[in-house]
Amino acid sequence: MEEGLSGRFYIKAAGGVRGSGGGGGGTKCGRWNPTTEQVKVLTDLFRAGLRTPSTDQIQKISSQLSFYGKIESKNVFYWFQNHKARERQKRRKVSVDEKDVNIRREEKIPQPKYFAEVTNHVVEPAADRVIQTLQLFPITSFDEPEPAEKLRLRVGECREFAHTFVSDIDHPPLDLRLSFF
Amino acid sequence: MEEGLSGRFYIKAAGGVRGSGGGGGGTKCGRWNPTTEQVKVLTDLFRAGLRTPSTDQIQKISSQLSFYGKIESKNVFYWFQNHKARERQKRRKVSVDEKDVNIRREEKIPQPKYFAEVTNHVVEPAADRVIQTLQLFPITSFDEPEPAEKLRLRVGECREFAHTFVSDIDHPPLDLRLSFF
DNA sequence: AAAATATGAATGAATG
DNA sequence: CATTCATTCATATTTT
């Protein structure tokens, strides 16, 4: 249904096209599709404390990462910008649902996150080759104190405080009165 | 090689019966599976004009909807995001009727601050001017049509050639030694 | 069960 | 920096 337009057959590359190596220099262009190595490096840099790289740094990073595949400076720029923004947003939009379901009495993951950030980079076979001499020490971030990015495990938790008791109530006290001003 | 997966595995969610009416419980996590009530409310809100709820609104909505079942803010956020996008997407597939021979030769490609900044963007519709007090019960179907259409020139160009296939080099001399000082 | 489709989630790219 | 749009990917659901 949705199809029929755009006439762009995307290569249904199962398993993520992030395939390393290839360089993605294929015919598929449009928007940058980072390779796993690129993402890994970027992530490492971020975790190392880099949040808002300068133009200079961006250039260097981009330059280095270009080895793994097509990449432009702006990609690096945007990557950091997005990553940071989303990291923050996750913190903000953390479910703040209280009340309502009262049965929730159990634990609550100490770190309820917006959503499970999958940081499980499958170990690349070529990982060995990827000798990233990332020796970025705590960089002086001019933005704000580095919040010690800790690696969070995937939210294995699926605590769903069931709402089972919602038997046959006609209309719960639902009253979404949103005032837009 | 193609081993580089996106690394996104979710726990197989068993029996995600959307049929909320009855139990609805038991669904495992994986991805949010809205109940019919939740969808109904969301749809009503959307139809009432809500298109891009603010963080606050998202919180409220999420909170209210949690009555019907497990839900998080991000779900609401994504729901609206997707719903709007798809609504527009479908709208867009009908905009091919008129062969607007008026082809604008916009050579300028919007680039970030790295290149010449271009601002020849089409006028922003600003259709989020929905002012109303959303009440759960669609008292007044303030149904507003899809206003404005942006017709954004998407430049999915592949201007930059892929990095030259590095064939000689054995190992990427990745050495991100950024000099910050 | 396979194919088609609907939709939740993620992220690159902008814009203000 | 935040907010938003467009695209794409991964599943769930429905259809054949």
Side-chain angles (χ1 to χ4, degrees), chain B residues 77-107:
Chain B
F77 171 74
Y78 282 137
W79 192 91
F80 277 96
Q81 200 79 36
N82 283 319
H83 204 71
K84 179 160 82 169
R86 270 147 192 161
E87 196 68 12
R88 165 165 290 178
Q89 185 180 118
K90 285 175 178 171
R91 260 304 193 256
R92 194 171 172 178
K93 299 191 185 303
V94 192
S95 63
V96 192
D97 51 358
E98 303 297 332
K99 289 339 186 326
D100 196 330
V101 194
N102 244 358
I103 304 175
R104 299 138 189 188
R105 309 293 288 176
E106 301 292 353
E107 272 78 20

PDB file of all heavy atoms in Angstrom, chain B residues 77-107:
ATOM      1  N   PHE B  77       5.517   9.370  22.062  1.00  0.00           N
ATOM      2  CA  PHE B  77       6.324  10.219  21.193  1.00  0.00           C
ATOM      3  C   PHE B  77       6.439   9.629  19.799  1.00  0.00           C
ATOM      4  O   PHE B  77       6.152  10.291  18.802  1.00  0.00           O
ATOM      5  CB  PHE B  77       7.715  10.373  21.804  1.00  0.00           C
ATOM      6  CG  PHE B  77       8.693  11.044  20.905  1.00  0.00           C
ATOM      7  CD1 PHE B  77       8.627  12.407  20.685  1.00  0.00           C
ATOM      8  CD2 PHE B  77       9.678  10.301  20.269  1.00  0.00           C
ATOM      9  CE1 PHE B  77       9.533  13.030  19.849  1.00  0.00           C
ATOM     10  CE2 PHE B  77      10.589  10.917  19.424  1.00  0.00           C
ATOM     11  CZ  PHE B  77      10.518  12.277  19.217  1.00  0.00           C
ATOM     12  N   TYR B  78       6.830   8.396  19.750  1.00  0.00           N
ATOM     13  CA  TYR B  78       6.983   7.732  18.466  1.00  0.00           C
ATOM     14  C   TYR B  78       5.660   7.602  17.734  1.00  0.00           C
ATOM     15  O   TYR B  78       5.594   7.712  16.530  1.00  0.00           O
ATOM     16  CB  TYR B  78       7.573   6.338  18.655  1.00  0.00           C
ATOM     17  CG  TYR B  78       9.049   6.343  18.903  1.00  0.00           C
ATOM     18  CD1 TYR B  78       9.615   5.518  19.876  1.00  0.00           C
ATOM     19  CD2 TYR B  78       9.893   7.162  18.149  1.00  0.00           C
ATOM     20  CE1 TYR B  78      10.979   5.508  20.093  1.00  0.00           C
ATOM     21  CE2 TYR B  78      11.257   7.155  18.374  1.00  0.00           C
ATOM     22  CZ  TYR B  78      11.802   6.318  19.345  1.00  0.00           C
ATOM     23  OH  TYR B  78      13.147   6.313  19.552  1.00  0.00           O
ATOM     24  N   TRP B  79       4.644   7.353  18.490  1.00  0.00           N
ATOM     25  CA  TRP B  79       3.349   7.175  17.849  1.00  0.00           C
ATOM     26  C   TRP B  79       2.970   8.411  17.037  1.00  0.00           C
ATOM     27  O   TRP B  79       2.611   8.312  15.869  1.00  0.00           O
ATOM     28  CB  TRP B  79       2.266   6.889  18.885  1.00  0.00           C
ATOM     29  CG  TRP B  79       0.998   6.430  18.242  1.00  0.00           C
ATOM     30  CD1 TRP B  79       0.641   5.135  17.972  1.00  0.00           C
ATOM     31  CD2 TRP B  79      -0.064   7.253  17.754  1.00  0.00           C
ATOM     32  NE1 TRP B  79      -0.581   5.113  17.345  1.00  0.00           N
ATOM     33  CE2 TRP B  79      -1.036   6.392  17.192  1.00  0.00           C
ATOM     34  CE3 TRP B  79      -0.300   8.628  17.732  1.00  0.00           C
ATOM     35  CZ2 TRP B  79      -2.219   6.865  16.618  1.00  0.00           C
ATOM     36  CZ3 TRP B  79      -1.470   9.109  17.149  1.00  0.00           C
ATOM     37  CH2 TRP B  79      -2.424   8.220  16.607  1.00  0.00           C
ATOM     38  N   PHE B  80       3.077   9.526  17.662  1.00  0.00           N
ATOM     39  CA  PHE B  80       2.723  10.746  16.954  1.00  0.00           C
ATOM     40  C   PHE B  80       3.688  11.018  15.801  1.00  0.00           C
ATOM     41  O   PHE B  80       3.296  11.453  14.724  1.00  0.00           O
ATOM     42  CB  PHE B  80       2.696  11.943  17.910  1.00  0.00           C
ATOM     43  CG  PHE B  80       1.400  12.059  18.651  1.00  0.00           C
ATOM     44  CD1 PHE B  80       1.274  11.524  19.929  1.00  0.00           C
ATOM     45  CD2 PHE B  80       0.295  12.654  18.062  1.00  0.00           C
ATOM     46  CE1 PHE B  80       0.065  11.603  20.605  1.00  0.00           C
ATOM     47  CE2 PHE B  80      -0.913  12.727  18.739  1.00  0.00           C
ATOM     48  CZ  PHE B  80      -1.030  12.194  20.012  1.00  0.00           C
ATOM     49  N   GLN B  81       4.879  10.752  16.069  1.00  0.00           N
ATOM     50  CA  GLN B  81       5.884  10.967  15.046  1.00  0.00           C
ATOM     51  C   GLN B  81       5.551  10.131  13.812  1.00  0.00           C
ATOM     52  O   GLN B  81       5.519  10.624  12.699  1.00  0.00           O
ATOM     53  CB  GLN B  81       7.247  10.540  15.609  1.00  0.00           C
ATOM     54  CG  GLN B  81       8.419  11.128  14.890  1.00  0.00           C
ATOM     55  CD  GLN B  81       8.666  12.559  15.318  1.00  0.00           C
ATOM     56  OE1 GLN B  81       8.485  12.896  16.471  1.00  0.00           O
ATOM     57  NE2 GLN B  81       9.065  13.376  14.391  1.00  0.00           N
ATOM     58  N   ASN B  82       5.316   8.900  14.065  1.00  0.00           N
ATOM     59  CA  ASN B  82       5.012   7.989  12.966  1.00  0.00           C
ATOM     60  C   ASN B  82       3.684   8.301  12.303  1.00  0.00           C
ATOM     61  O   ASN B  82       3.573   8.300  11.091  1.00  0.00           O
ATOM     62  CB  ASN B  82       4.984   6.539  13.469  1.00  0.00           C
ATOM     63  CG  ASN B  82       6.375   5.992  13.677  1.00  0.00           C
ATOM     64  OD1 ASN B  82       7.273   6.222  12.879  1.00  0.00           O
ATOM     65  ND2 ASN B  82       6.558   5.254  14.758  1.00  0.00           N
ATOM     66  N   HIS B  83       2.723   8.522  13.130  1.00  0.00           N
ATOM     67  CA  HIS B  83       1.402   8.772  12.576  1.00  0.00           C
ATOM     68  C   HIS B  83       1.405   9.983  11.651  1.00  0.00           C
ATOM     69  O   HIS B  83       0.842   9.951  10.570  1.00  0.00           O
ATOM     70  CB  HIS B  83       0.400   8.982  13.709  1.00  0.00           C
ATOM     71  CG  HIS B  83      -1.005   8.671  13.311  1.00  0.00           C
ATOM     72  ND1 HIS B  83      -1.425   7.375  13.082  1.00  0.00           N
ATOM     73  CD2 HIS B  83      -2.071   9.458  13.081  1.00  0.00           C
ATOM     74  CE1 HIS B  83      -2.712   7.404  12.729  1.00  0.00           C
ATOM     75  NE2 HIS B  83      -3.131   8.650  12.722  1.00  0.00           N
ATOM     76  N   LYS B  84       2.023  10.989  12.110  1.00  0.00           N
ATOM     77  CA  LYS B  84       2.074  12.191  11.290  1.00  0.00           C
ATOM     78  C   LYS B  84       2.863  11.940  10.013  1.00  0.00           C
ATOM     79  O   LYS B  84       2.421  12.276   8.915  1.00  0.00           O
ATOM     80  CB  LYS B  84       2.723  13.332  12.072  1.00  0.00           C
ATOM     81  CG  LYS B  84       2.828  14.590  11.243  1.00  0.00           C
ATOM     82  CD  LYS B  84       2.993  15.801  12.107  1.00  0.00           C
ATOM     83  CE  LYS B  84       4.403  16.028  12.561  1.00  0.00           C
ATOM     84  NZ  LYS B  84       4.594  17.343  13.179  1.00  0.00           N
ATOM     85  N   ALA B  85       3.976  11.368  10.187  1.00  0.00           N
ATOM     86  CA  ALA B  85       4.827  11.098   9.033  1.00  0.00           C
ATOM     87  C   ALA B  85       4.110  10.255   7.990  1.00  0.00           C
ATOM     88  O   ALA B  85       4.174  10.531   6.803  1.00  0.00           O
ATOM     89  CB  ALA B  85       6.091  10.387   9.478  1.00  0.00           C
ATOM     90  N   ARG B  86       3.418   9.262   8.463  1.00  0.00           N
ATOM     91  CA  ARG B  86       2.741   8.386   7.511  1.00  0.00           C
ATOM     92  C   ARG B  86       1.529   9.033   6.881  1.00  0.00           C
ATOM     93  O   ARG B  86       1.182   8.746   5.747  1.00  0.00           O
ATOM     94  CB  ARG B  86       2.360   7.090   8.214  1.00  0.00           C
ATOM     95  CG  ARG B  86       3.475   6.091   8.088  1.00  0.00           C
ATOM     96  CD  ARG B  86       3.641   5.161   9.232  1.00  0.00           C
ATOM     97  NE  ARG B  86       4.906   4.469   9.072  1.00  0.00           N
ATOM     98  CZ  ARG B  86       5.535   3.847  10.057  1.00  0.00           C
ATOM     99  NH1 ARG B  86       5.020   3.827  11.247  1.00  0.00           N
ATOM    100  NH2 ARG B  86       6.675   3.257   9.835  1.00  0.00           N
ATOM    101  N   GLU B  87       0.954   9.862   7.635  1.00  0.00           N
ATOM    102  CA  GLU B  87      -0.201  10.568   7.092  1.00  0.00           C
ATOM    103  C   GLU B  87       0.283  11.434   5.930  1.00  0.00           C
ATOM    104  O   GLU B  87      -0.311  11.459   4.865  1.00  0.00           O
ATOM    105  CB  GLU B  87      -0.790  11.466   8.187  1.00  0.00           C
ATOM    106  CG  GLU B  87      -2.178  11.930   7.858  1.00  0.00           C
ATOM    107  CD  GLU B  87      -3.166  10.781   7.868  1.00  0.00           C
ATOM    108  OE1 GLU B  87      -2.824   9.687   8.352  1.00  0.00           O
ATOM    109  OE2 GLU B  87      -4.272  10.982   7.373  1.00  0.00           O
ATOM    110  N   ARG B  88       1.349  12.050   6.186  1.00  0.00           N
ATOM    111  CA  ARG B  88       1.895  12.928   5.165  1.00  0.00           C
ATOM    112  C   ARG B  88       2.430  12.116   3.996  1.00  0.00           C
ATOM    113  O   ARG B  88       2.302  12.492   2.844  1.00  0.00           O
ATOM    114  CB  ARG B  88       3.028  13.734   5.780  1.00  0.00           C
ATOM    115  CG  ARG B  88       3.898  14.396   4.762  1.00  0.00           C
ATOM    116  CD  ARG B  88       4.729  15.437   5.424  1.00  0.00           C
ATOM    117  NE  ARG B  88       3.916  16.565   5.847  1.00  0.00           N
ATOM    118  CZ  ARG B  88       4.389  17.617   6.487  1.00  0.00           C
ATOM    119  NH1 ARG B  88       5.645  17.663   6.784  1.00  0.00           N
ATOM    120  NH2 ARG B  88       3.609  18.599   6.818  1.00  0.00           N
ATOM    121  N   GLN B  89       3.000  11.053   4.351  1.00  0.00           N
ATOM    122  CA  GLN B  89       3.580  10.201   3.332  1.00  0.00           C
ATOM    123  C   GLN B  89       2.532   9.757   2.316  1.00  0.00           C
ATOM    124  O   GLN B  89       2.767   9.705   1.129  1.00  0.00           O
ATOM    125  CB  GLN B  89       4.185   8.979   4.017  1.00  0.00           C
ATOM    126  CG  GLN B  89       4.923   8.044   3.109  1.00  0.00           C
ATOM    127  CD  GLN B  89       5.495   6.871   3.874  1.00  0.00           C
ATOM    128  OE1 GLN B  89       5.139   5.741   3.633  1.00  0.00           O
ATOM    129  NE2 GLN B  89       6.365   7.137   4.829  1.00  0.00           N
ATOM    130  N   LYS B  90       1.385   9.460   2.833  1.00  0.00           N
ATOM    131  CA  LYS B  90       0.334   9.031   1.934  1.00  0.00           C
ATOM    132  C   LYS B  90      -0.194  10.202   1.127  1.00  0.00           C
ATOM    133  O   LYS B  90      -0.535  10.062  -0.037  1.00  0.00           O
ATOM    134  CB  LYS B  90      -0.796   8.396   2.729  1.00  0.00           C
ATOM    135  CG  LYS B  90      -0.401   7.026   3.205  1.00  0.00           C
ATOM    136  CD  LYS B  90      -1.426   6.387   4.106  1.00  0.00           C
ATOM    137  CE  LYS B  90      -0.945   5.003   4.481  1.00  0.00           C
ATOM    138  NZ  LYS B  90      -1.743   4.361   5.510  1.00  0.00           N
ATOM    139  N   ARG B  91      -0.249  11.295   1.787  1.00  0.00           N
ATOM    140  CA  ARG B  91      -0.682  12.495   1.099  1.00  0.00           C
ATOM    141  C   ARG B  91       0.229  12.761  -0.083  1.00  0.00           C
ATOM    142  O   ARG B  91      -0.174  13.151  -1.154  1.00  0.00           O
ATOM    143  CB  ARG B  91      -0.572  13.693   2.035  1.00  0.00           C
ATOM    144  CG  ARG B  91      -1.816  14.150   2.700  1.00  0.00           C
ATOM    145  CD  ARG B  91      -2.921  14.485   1.797  1.00  0.00           C
ATOM    146  NE  ARG B  91      -3.976  15.200   2.528  1.00  0.00           N
ATOM    147  CZ  ARG B  91      -5.079  14.619   2.872  1.00  0.00           C
ATOM    148  NH1 ARG B  91      -5.287  13.355   2.578  1.00  0.00           N
ATOM    149  NH2 ARG B  91      -6.006  15.306   3.498  1.00  0.00           N
ATOM    150  N   ARG B  92       1.419  12.509   0.186  1.00  0.00           N
ATOM    151  CA  ARG B  92       2.437  12.821  -0.795  1.00  0.00           C
ATOM    152  C   ARG B  92       2.363  11.958  -2.040  1.00  0.00           C
ATOM    153  O   ARG B  92       2.756  12.344  -3.111  1.00  0.00           O
ATOM    154  CB  ARG B  92       3.787  12.631  -0.134  1.00  0.00           C
ATOM    155  CG  ARG B  92       4.904  13.215  -0.909  1.00  0.00           C
ATOM    156  CD  ARG B  92       6.137  13.157  -0.050  1.00  0.00           C
ATOM    157  NE  ARG B  92       7.306  13.537  -0.783  1.00  0.00           N
ATOM    158  CZ  ARG B  92       8.501  13.603  -0.235  1.00  0.00           C
ATOM    159  NH1 ARG B  92       8.630  13.312   1.036  1.00  0.00           N
ATOM    160  NH2 ARG B  92       9.530  13.944  -0.937  1.00  0.00           N
ATOM    161  N   LYS B  93       1.877  10.808  -1.877  1.00  0.00           N
ATOM    162  CA  LYS B  93       1.810   9.911  -3.013  1.00  0.00           C
ATOM    163  C   LYS B  93       0.722  10.309  -3.990  1.00  0.00           C
ATOM    164  O   LYS B  93       0.502   9.663  -4.983  1.00  0.00           O
ATOM    165  CB  LYS B  93       1.558   8.492  -2.525  1.00  0.00           C
ATOM    166  CG  LYS B  93       2.657   7.989  -1.636  1.00  0.00           C
ATOM    167  CD  LYS B  93       2.512   6.512  -1.408  1.00  0.00           C
ATOM    168  CE  LYS B  93       3.555   6.038  -0.417  1.00  0.00           C
ATOM    169  NZ  LYS B  93       4.901   6.379  -0.883  1.00  0.00           N
ATOM    170  N   VAL B  94       0.053  11.323  -3.673  1.00  0.00           N
ATOM    171  CA  VAL B  94      -1.014  11.770  -4.545  1.00  0.00           C
ATOM    172  C   VAL B  94      -0.652  13.112  -5.157  1.00  0.00           C
ATOM    173  O   VAL B  94      -1.400  13.690  -5.894  1.00  0.00           O
ATOM    174  CB  VAL B  94      -2.317  11.939  -3.738  1.00  0.00           C
ATOM    175  CG1 VAL B  94      -3.481  12.115  -4.698  1.00  0.00           C
ATOM    176  CG2 VAL B  94      -2.528  10.740  -2.849  1.00  0.00           C
ATOM    177  N   SER B  95       0.475  13.539  -4.824  1.00  0.00           N
ATOM    178  CA  SER B  95       0.880  14.846  -5.324  1.00  0.00           C
ATOM    179  C   SER B  95       1.622  14.751  -6.644  1.00  0.00           C
ATOM    180  O   SER B  95       2.349  15.628  -7.031  1.00  0.00           O
ATOM    181  CB  SER B  95       1.764  15.525  -4.291  1.00  0.00           C
ATOM    182  OG  SER B  95       2.931  14.755  -4.126  1.00  0.00           O
ATOM    183  N   VAL B  96       1.443  13.684  -7.296  1.00  0.00           N
ATOM    184  CA  VAL B  96       2.143  13.528  -8.565  1.00  0.00           C
ATOM    185  C   VAL B  96       1.208  13.808  -9.721  1.00  0.00           C
ATOM    186  O   VAL B  96       1.536  13.679 -10.869  1.00  0.00           O
ATOM    187  CB  VAL B  96       2.684  12.098  -8.690  1.00  0.00           C
ATOM    188  CG1 VAL B  96       3.648  12.002  -9.846  1.00  0.00           C
ATOM    189  CG2 VAL B  96       3.321  11.689  -7.402  1.00  0.00           C
ATOM    190  N   ASP B  97       0.028  14.140  -9.359  1.00  0.00           N
ATOM    191  CA  ASP B  97      -0.965  14.382 -10.395  1.00  0.00           C
ATOM    192  C   ASP B  97      -0.555  15.491 -11.349  1.00  0.00           C
ATOM    193  O   ASP B  97      -0.514  15.319 -12.553  1.00  0.00           O
ATOM    194  CB  ASP B  97      -2.296  14.729  -9.739  1.00  0.00           C
ATOM    195  CG  ASP B  97      -2.098  15.826  -8.714  1.00  0.00           C
ATOM    196  OD1 ASP B  97      -0.943  16.239  -8.519  1.00  0.00           O
ATOM    197  OD2 ASP B  97      -3.090  16.258  -8.119  1.00  0.00           O
ATOM    198  N   GLU B  98      -0.313  16.605 -10.774  1.00  0.00           N
ATOM    199  CA  GLU B  98       0.038  17.748 -11.599  1.00  0.00           C
ATOM    200  C   GLU B  98       1.506  17.732 -11.981  1.00  0.00           C
ATOM    201  O   GLU B  98       2.372  17.867 -11.150  1.00  0.00           O
ATOM    202  CB  GLU B  98      -0.285  19.039 -10.845  1.00  0.00           C
ATOM    203  CG  GLU B  98      -1.731  19.132 -10.425  1.00  0.00           C
ATOM    204  CD  GLU B  98      -2.656  19.172 -11.625  1.00  0.00           C
ATOM    205  OE1 GLU B  98      -2.209  19.639 -12.681  1.00  0.00           O
ATOM    206  OE2 GLU B  98      -3.810  18.737 -11.489  1.00  0.00           O
ATOM    207  N   LYS B  99       1.726  17.589 -13.230  1.00  0.00           N
ATOM    208  CA  LYS B  99       3.122  17.629 -13.677  1.00  0.00           C
ATOM    209  C   LYS B  99       3.590  19.059 -13.673  1.00  0.00           C
ATOM    210  O   LYS B  99       3.573  19.728 -14.696  1.00  0.00           O
ATOM    211  CB  LYS B  99       3.237  17.128 -15.113  1.00  0.00           C
ATOM    212  CG  LYS B  99       3.039  15.696 -15.454  1.00  0.00           C
ATOM    213  CD  LYS B  99       3.172  14.676 -14.453  1.00  0.00           C
ATOM    214  CE  LYS B  99       3.080  13.299 -15.054  1.00  0.00           C
ATOM    215  NZ  LYS B  99       2.188  13.223 -16.156  1.00  0.00           N
ATOM    216  N   ASP B 100       3.962  19.452 -12.569  1.00  0.00           N
ATOM    217  CA  ASP B 100       4.415  20.828 -12.480  1.00  0.00           C
ATOM    218  C   ASP B 100       5.684  21.007 -13.293  1.00  0.00           C
ATOM    219  O   ASP B 100       6.772  20.711 -12.856  1.00  0.00           O
ATOM    220  CB  ASP B 100       4.696  21.187 -11.018  1.00  0.00           C
ATOM    221  CG  ASP B 100       4.788  22.672 -10.849  1.00  0.00           C
ATOM    222  OD1 ASP B 100       5.208  23.339 -11.812  1.00  0.00           O
ATOM    223  OD2 ASP B 100       4.430  23.154  -9.774  1.00  0.00           O
ATOM    224  N   VAL B 101       5.456  21.489 -14.465  1.00  0.00           N
ATOM    225  CA  VAL B 101       6.604  21.654 -15.340  1.00  0.00           C
ATOM    226  C   VAL B 101       7.562  22.686 -14.786  1.00  0.00           C
ATOM    227  O   VAL B 101       8.674  22.843 -15.219  1.00  0.00           O
ATOM    228  CB  VAL B 101       6.139  22.110 -16.727  1.00  0.00           C
ATOM    229  CG1 VAL B 101       7.267  21.952 -17.729  1.00  0.00           C
ATOM    230  CG2 VAL B 101       4.933  21.302 -17.133  1.00  0.00           C
ATOM    231  N   ASN B 102       7.075  23.352 -13.840  1.00  0.00           N
ATOM    232  CA  ASN B 102       7.911  24.371 -13.236  1.00  0.00           C
ATOM    233  C   ASN B 102       8.996  23.733 -12.396  1.00  0.00           C
ATOM    234  O   ASN B 102       8.840  23.479 -11.219  1.00  0.00           O
ATOM    235  CB  ASN B 102       7.058  25.264 -12.344  1.00  0.00           C
ATOM    236  CG  ASN B 102       7.058  26.667 -12.879  1.00  0.00           C
ATOM    237  OD1 ASN B 102       7.725  26.952 -13.878  1.00  0.00           O
ATOM    238  ND2 ASN B 102       6.316  27.530 -12.240  1.00  0.00           N
ATOM    239  N   ILE B 103      10.013  23.466 -13.034  1.00  0.00           N
ATOM    240  CA  ILE B 103      11.102  22.849 -12.310  1.00  0.00           C
ATOM    241  C   ILE B 103      12.069  23.892 -11.812  1.00  0.00           C
ATOM    242  O   ILE B 103      12.682  24.604 -12.578  1.00  0.00           O
ATOM    243  CB  ILE B 103      11.862  21.876 -13.214  1.00  0.00           C
ATOM    244  CG1 ILE B 103      10.872  20.859 -13.778  1.00  0.00           C
ATOM    245  CG2 ILE B 103      12.950  21.195 -12.431  1.00  0.00           C
ATOM    246  CD1 ILE B 103      11.498  19.935 -14.777  1.00  0.00           C
ATOM    247  N   ARG B 104      12.128  23.948 -10.585  1.00  0.00           N
ATOM    248  CA  ARG B 104      13.033  24.941 -10.029  1.00  0.00           C
ATOM    249  C   ARG B 104      14.442  24.411 -10.063  1.00  0.00           C
ATOM    250  O   ARG B 104      14.723  23.339  -9.588  1.00  0.00           O
ATOM    251  CB  ARG B 104      12.663  25.221  -8.577  1.00  0.00           C
ATOM    252  CG  ARG B 104      11.287  25.757  -8.446  1.00  0.00           C
ATOM    253  CD  ARG B 104      10.619  25.143  -7.303  1.00  0.00           C
ATOM    254  NE  ARG B 104       9.217  25.484  -7.278  1.00  0.00           N
ATOM    255  CZ  ARG B 104       8.460  25.172  -6.252  1.00  0.00           C
ATOM    256  NH1 ARG B 104       8.990  24.557  -5.240  1.00  0.00           N
ATOM    257  NH2 ARG B 104       7.198  25.476  -6.263  1.00  0.00           N
ATOM    258  N   ARG B 105      15.235  25.195 -10.593  1.00  0.00           N
ATOM    259  CA  ARG B 105      16.628  24.779 -10.664  1.00  0.00           C
ATOM    260  C   ARG B 105      17.352  25.253  -9.426  1.00  0.00           C
ATOM    261  O   ARG B 105      17.985  26.292  -9.409  1.00  0.00           O
ATOM    262  CB  ARG B 105      17.273  25.390 -11.905  1.00  0.00           C
ATOM    263  CG  ARG B 105      16.460  25.132 -13.132  1.00  0.00           C
ATOM    264  CD  ARG B 105      16.449  23.670 -13.478  1.00  0.00           C
ATOM    265  NE  ARG B 105      17.754  23.273 -13.991  1.00  0.00           N
ATOM    266  CZ  ARG B 105      18.056  22.026 -14.298  1.00  0.00           C
ATOM    267  NH1 ARG B 105      17.181  21.085 -14.112  1.00  0.00           N
ATOM    268  NH2 ARG B 105      19.221  21.727 -14.769  1.00  0.00           N
ATOM    269  N   GLU B 106      17.204  24.496  -8.455  1.00  0.00           N
ATOM    270  CA  GLU B 106      17.883  24.862  -7.215  1.00  0.00           C
ATOM    271  C   GLU B 106      19.208  24.141  -7.140  1.00  0.00           C
ATOM    272  O   GLU B 106      19.286  22.991  -6.764  1.00  0.00           O
ATOM    273  CB  GLU B 106      17.016  24.494  -6.015  1.00  0.00           C
ATOM    274  CG  GLU B 106      15.676  25.165  -6.043  1.00  0.00           C
ATOM    275  CD  GLU B 106      15.803  26.646  -5.845  1.00  0.00           C
ATOM    276  OE1 GLU B 106      16.910  27.104  -5.560  1.00  0.00           O
ATOM    277  OE2 GLU B 106      14.786  27.342  -5.977  1.00  0.00           O
ATOM    278  N   GLU B 107      20.198  24.827  -7.522  1.00  0.00           N
ATOM    279  CA  GLU B 107      21.508  24.187  -7.496  1.00  0.00           C
ATOM    280  C   GLU B 107      22.086  24.142  -6.098  1.00  0.00           C
ATOM    281  O   GLU B 107      23.025  23.445  -5.808  1.00  0.00           O
ATOM    282  CB  GLU B 107      22.489  24.931  -8.392  1.00  0.00           C
ATOM    283  CG  GLU B 107      22.441  24.443  -9.821  1.00  0.00           C
ATOM    284  CD  GLU B 107      21.241  25.024 -10.515  1.00  0.00           C
ATOM    285  OE1 GLU B 107      20.735  26.021 -10.023  1.00  0.00           O
ATOM    286  OE2 GLU B 107      20.811  24.465 -11.532  1.00  0.00           O
TER     287      GLU B 107
END
